[in-house]
């Protein structure tokens, strides 16, 4: 205080205005909010750093060539082999099965909701789909293992207890609401004028939908499909419980397989010491999963931007 | 003109057929939800009683309960909310109310969108390497809550942004015109007006966190816990973990316990969802 009084220039007249609590608060609080939003950037860098750091150590020990091109995945027992292709094929198989069910059914139900349904039917169907979307994935795992699989085995006795089919089915059920609501958004964005023009020249609802509305909403629909498949690729608990833990290069839906996500859970359940090679495999697998889903999400976003720019 | 009219009938029939196919597709979701609920009630309803809620897990299926899991879940979601809600809402306020339209902020926004699409198991690996090992939090409730917090942060930010965007700009302009600062306008006008929308988003994201299993398995939540956590550094279990554990066992008696635990989880989640919908509808009527 003394030092400031002696020989220093007098405070500027507008000191109170410039340094009032009000202004100080304003700036500080605003900066705190900025810091909060920067945390999301930090999260992204954290994810990338952690995945790459452990993966690089892993690749010092196993060559990327063996990892990406190897066809045998047996890291947990001798002789340990580290080819990720069986896990990729398992993941692909689940995504394929889920997509075959959820994409057409989701699109058709979106068409029903946006083109055919009365306001009252929509009011009943949409909340039901939302509830379906809110069911935790561990519950789908239970449903797959203890409801879908017994049902499948009644009709196809040689289906194994853990099998890709029930995993695909429950993941399909899981992504169905997502496909339906995203497709509906895309159909909703198509201007009414396009439909009315088509009706005016005498088209039926089927013709308007298939020849006008769906083609006009195509980029949005594709984006919905890609996002849903990316969700299926990253889905963990349902496939861990229902599809099994047998990494295998196969497309047989009656057999037990293993996805990338299920492998990470399998290792986490055991007591693998940190820093051991097996511990690092989950980061290498996680990195592959992260890159695949990120690329799919980026493509989906680019497609959404396209339809938004056309119709808004 | 018989062929013309035949053609018209054929087109009308195709339209009708298409409508039926679309209706059946939309109905599939309803049927599946009904089958899911039927299967779980069939397996679990008989096992659900007060002592199930009040007992610790046990090797004997008929005596096993979800006390530790339920209390663990409450701890976990409470801590997750303490961490994620203030940060998520502040970040949304910054992006909607203060951020200038420049490349940095566009990048933050794009980044949040992408984070929302990252699989939960990848967040789990981040939590494992960063919270559990590097920060040495171990298999604690705190490590689980921080991981789940990061996971739902993008969802909270995006839903809060939508709620803020729904506030008419005339409200902000009126407040600013009366001499309020940007911050005062935000806190005293915009936030109260958007509170119901923000609450809806928060409840829905917390209900998502409550069902998350993979991150907790990966960071090492325990499966057999016969004690209650007494602080954030304690080890814990949670409802989804307990369900996963009981489902993975071979004995049908444990499957019934799993189904009963699923019923408890679904009742809690549905209550939260209905609360969110109720708040949203009340708000919409007022606007």
């Amino acid at each position: 205080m003394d030092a400031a009084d002696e020989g220093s220039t007098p405070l500027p007249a507008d000191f109170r205005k410039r340094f009032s609590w009000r202004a100080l608060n304003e700036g500080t609080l605003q900066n705190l909010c900025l810091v909060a939003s920067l945390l999301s950037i930090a999260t992204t860098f954290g994810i990338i750093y952690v995945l790459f750091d452990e993966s690089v150590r892993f690749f010092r020990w196993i060559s990327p060539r063996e990892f990406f091109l190897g066809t045998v995945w047996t890291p947990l027992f001798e002789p340990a082999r580290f080819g990720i292709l069986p896990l990729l094929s398992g993941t692909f198989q689940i995504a394929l099965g889920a997509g075959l069910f959820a994409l057409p059914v989701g699109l058709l139900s979106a068409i029903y909701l946006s083109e055919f349904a009365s306001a009252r039917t929509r009011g009943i169907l949409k909340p039901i789909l939302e509830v379906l979307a809110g069911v935790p994935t561990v519950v789908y795992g239970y449903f797959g293992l203890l409801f879908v699989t017994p049902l499948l085995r009644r009709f196809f006795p040689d289906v194994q207890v853990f099998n890709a089919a029930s995993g695909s089915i429950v993941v399909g059920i899981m992504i169905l609401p997502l496909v339906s609501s995203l497709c509906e958004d895309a159909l909703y964005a198509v201007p009414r004028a396009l439909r009315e023009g088509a009706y005016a020249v005498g088209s039926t609802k089927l013709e308007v939908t298939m020849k006008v509305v769906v083609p006009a909403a195509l980029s949005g629909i594709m984006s919905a499909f890609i996002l849903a498949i990316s969700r299926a690729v990253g889905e963990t608990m349902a496939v861990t419980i229902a599809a099994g833990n047998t990494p295998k290069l196969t497309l047989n839906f009656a057999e037990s397989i293993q996805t990338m996500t299920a492998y990470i859970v399998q290792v986490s359940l055991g007591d693998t010491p940190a820093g051991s090679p097996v511990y690092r495999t989950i980061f290498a697998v996680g990195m592959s999963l992260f890159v695949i889903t990120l690329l799919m999400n980026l493509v989906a976003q680019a497609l959404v931007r396209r339809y938004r720019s056309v119709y808004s | 003109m018989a062929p013309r009219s035949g053609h018209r009938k054929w087109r009308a029939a195709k339209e009708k057929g298409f409508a039926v196919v679309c209706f059946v597709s939309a109905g599939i979701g309803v049927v599946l939800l009904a089958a899911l609920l039927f299967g779980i009630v069939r397996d679990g309803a008989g096992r659900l009683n007060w002592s199930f809620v009040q007992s610790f897990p046990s090797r004997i299926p008929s005596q096993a309960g979800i006390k530790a899991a339920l209390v663990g879940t409450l701890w976990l979601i409470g801590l997750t909310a303490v961490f994620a809600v203030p940060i998520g809402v502040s970040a949304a306020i910054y992006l909607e109310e203060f951020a200038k339209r420049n490349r940095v902020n566009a990048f933050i926004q794009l980044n949040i969108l992408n984070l929302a699409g990252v699989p939960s198991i990848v967040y789990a690996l981040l939590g494992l390497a960063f919270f559990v090992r590097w920060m040495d939090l171990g298999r604690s409730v705190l490590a689980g809550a921080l991981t789940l917090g990061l996971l739902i942060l993008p969802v909270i930010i995006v839903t809060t942004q939508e709620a803020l965007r729904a506030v008419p700009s005339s409200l902000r302009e009126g407040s600013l015109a009366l001499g309020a600062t940007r911050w005062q306008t935000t806190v005293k006008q915009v936030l109260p007006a958007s509170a119901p929308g923000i609450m809806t988003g928060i409840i829905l994201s917390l209900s998502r966190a409550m069902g998350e299993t993979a991150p907790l398995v990966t960071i090492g939540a325990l499966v057999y816990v016969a004690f209650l956590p007494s602080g954030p550094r304690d080890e814990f279990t949670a409802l989804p973990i307990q369900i996963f554990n009981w489902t993975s066992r071979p004995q049908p008696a444990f499957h019934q316990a799993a189904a009963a635990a699923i019923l408890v989880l679904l009742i809690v989640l549905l209550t939260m969802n209905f609360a969110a919908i109720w708040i949203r509808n009340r708000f919409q009527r007022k606007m």
Side-chain angles (χ1 to χ4, degrees):
Chain A
M1 211 46 216
D2 289 346
D5 283 347
E6 288 168 31
S8 65
T9 51
L11 293 168
D14 61 351
F15 170 81
R16 279 189 61 80
K17 200 172 165 194
R18 282 206 309 200
F19 295 95
S20 68
W21 267 112
R22 206 166 126 171
L24 183 72
N25 269 338
E26 194 84 356
T28 315
L29 293 169
Q30 211 164 312
N31 284 336
L32 277 177
C33 288
L34 170 65
V35 169
S37 71
L38 288 177
L39 186 67
S40 68
I41 307 271
T43 309
T44 305
F45 281 112
I47 289 173
I48 294 173
Y49 174 77
V50 163
L51 293 180
F52 273 77
D53 181 51
E54 295 282 357
S55 299
V56 164
R57 288 164 208 252
F58 173 77
F59 284 130
R60 252 181 238 150
W61 174 65
I62 297 289
S63 75
R65 194 188 149 79
E66 184 185 342
F67 182 70
F68 289 113
L69 298 176
T71 56
V72 182
W73 182 260
T74 54
L76 299 178
F77 45 86
E78 293 299 323
R81 301 279 298 276
F82 299 89
I84 199 179
L85 286 180
L87 296 183
L88 274 176
S89 92
T91 302
F92 171 75
Q93 196 179 357
I94 294 290
L96 177 77
L100 280 178
F101 165 72
L103 302 187
V105 173
L107 175 59
L108 287 171
S109 65
I111 290 175
Y112 180 76
L113 288 171
S114 98
E115 310 293 317
F116 289 98
S118 64
R120 202 169 144 252
T121 323
R122 272 174 58 91
I124 299 169
L125 283 176
K126 287 216 55 149
I128 290 179
L129 284 173
E130 274 173 39
V131 171
L132 208 53
V135 174
T137 70
V138 68
V139 177
Y140 282 115
Y142 178 95
F143 187 64
L145 180 66
L146 298 166
F147 194 93
V148 176
T149 297
L151 206 65
L152 286 173
R153 278 156 69 96
R154 192 182 295 170
F155 296 106
F156 309 99
D158 48 349
V159 168
Q160 296 177 358
V161 174
F162 300 103
N163 60 80
S166 73
S168 300
I169 291 171
V170 288
V171 173
I173 300 173
M174 225 186 74
I175 62 172
L176 176 63
L178 183 73
V179 179
S180 166
S181 82
L182 290 176
C183 282
E184 207 198 327
D185 290 347
L187 296 173
Y188 186 78
V190 175
R192 279 191 73 86
L194 277 185
R195 292 186 181 83
E196 277 158 14
Y199 284 125
V201 296
S203 314
T204 64
K205 206 160 223 176
L206 168 65
E207 289 155 355
V208 173
T209 304
M210 295 318 266
K211 293 182 183 164
V212 177
V213 180
V214 169
L218 200 61
S219 61
I221 293 171
M222 291 313 294
S223 151
F225 283 6
I226 294 170
L227 274 182
I229 293 298
S230 138
R231 182 73 60 88
V233 165
E235 166 27 56
T236 309
M237 290 324 288
V239 293
T240 304
I241 295 172
N245 278 320
T246 325
K248 204 183 287 181
L249 258 181
T250 173
L251 271 181
N252 185 347
F253 278 89
E255 287 179 36
S256 168
I257 51 129
Q258 186 171 45
T259 63
M260 295 192 274
T261 50
Y263 172 72
I264 297 174
V265 169
Q266 187 192 11
V267 170
S268 309
L269 284 174
D271 16 48
T272 310
S276 70
V278 171
Y279 173 78
R280 291 200 171 119
T281 57
I282 62 176
F283 290 89
V285 171
M287 188 193 69
S288 315
L289 181 69
F290 175 70
V291 170
I292 293 171
T293 51
L294 181 67
L295 288 178
M296 294 178 89
N297 289 345
L298 288 174
V299 171
Q301 282 166 23
L303 285 168
V304 163
R305 269 198 295 279
R306 221 171 87 182
Y307 89 72
R308 292 235 171 99
S309 68
V310 172
Y311 297 120
S312 60
Chain B
M1 295 301 276
R4 281 304 294 164
S5 103
H7 182 60
R8 193 172 304 157
K9 270 187 194 147
W10 170 233
R11 283 171 64 206
K14 273 205 295 188
E15 178 181 23
K16 199 149 267 167
F18 181 64
V20 170
V21 169
C22 290
F23 176 75
V24 169
S25 301
I28 286 178
V30 182
V31 173
L32 288 172
L33 183 65
L36 182 81
L37 293 178
F38 165 77
I40 285 158
V41 170
R42 179 196 64 185
D43 297 351
R47 192 66 183 69
L48 192 60
N49 53 38
W50 194 238
S51 80
F52 179 71
V53 179
Q54 281 196 313
S55 308
F56 282 111
S58 162
R59 264 173 240 287
I60 306 155
S62 59
Q63 290 172 13
I66 55 167
K67 186 178 186 181
L70 204 55
V71 174
T73 286
L74 291 179
W75 264 99
L76 192 66
I77 297 306
L79 281 174
T80 303
V82 165
F83 167 64
V85 170
I87 294 181
V89 173
S90 318
I93 288 176
Y94 173 76
L95 289 170
E96 279 306 306
E97 305 293 321
F98 298 117
K100 295 186 184 69
R101 292 191 159 263
N102 59 27
R103 296 176 80 170
V104 176
N105 294 321
F107 177 69
I108 295 179
Q109 192 72 65
L110 184 74
N111 178 58
I112 289 169
L113 275 181
N114 278 311
L115 276 179
V118 172
S120 61
I121 191 89
V122 172
Y123 282 95
L125 293 175
L126 174 66
L128 178 64
F130 192 71
F131 298 129
V132 177
R133 309 262 182 228
W134 192 76
M135 284 176 67
D136 202 20
L137 296 177
R139 306 169 153 192
S140 60
V141 187
L142 186 58
L146 290 172
T147 309
L148 289 184
L150 288 185
L151 175 68
I152 62 167
L153 208 48
V155 191
I156 295 188
I157 296 176
V158 171
T159 50
T160 305
Q161 277 187 288
E162 278 165 12
L164 294 174
R165 221 172 288 152
V167 174
S169 54
S170 56
L171 203 69
R172 294 185 184 85
E173 284 152 12
S175 167
L176 291 171
L178 289 172
T181 63
R182 295 285 293 274
W183 182 258
Q184 287 169 326
T185 304
T186 304
V187 172
K188 299 202 170 143
Q189 300 301 327
V190 181
L191 275 185
S194 56
I198 296 176
M199 279 304 293
T200 305
I202 289 172
I203 295 174
L204 289 179
S205 15
L206 288 178
S207 78
R208 177 172 170 207
M210 195 177 277
E212 277 295 343
T213 318
L216 302 181
V217 173
T218 307
I219 65 161
L222 300 179
V223 286
Y224 181 80
V225 175
F227 56 85
L228 301 179
S230 56
R233 299 296 303 266
D234 283 357
E235 296 187 321
F236 72 109
T237 188
L239 262 182
I241 300 290
Q242 191 68 68
I243 294 167
F244 172 51
N245 177 250
W246 280 336
T247 306
S248 326
R249 295 191 189 204
Q251 303 94 321
F254 276 119
H255 296 161
Q256 287 166 13
I262 288 175
L263 278 175
V264 174
L265 181 63
L266 286 182
I267 290 168
V268 176
L269 290 181
L270 283 179
T271 312
M272 289 172 77
N273 276 298
F274 281 128
I277 291 170
W278 181 76
I279 292 173
R280 189 169 63 192
N281 291 347
R282 222 179 117 89
F283 168 64
Q284 274 171 347
R285 236 176 295 154
K286 260 206 234 159
M287 285 295 273

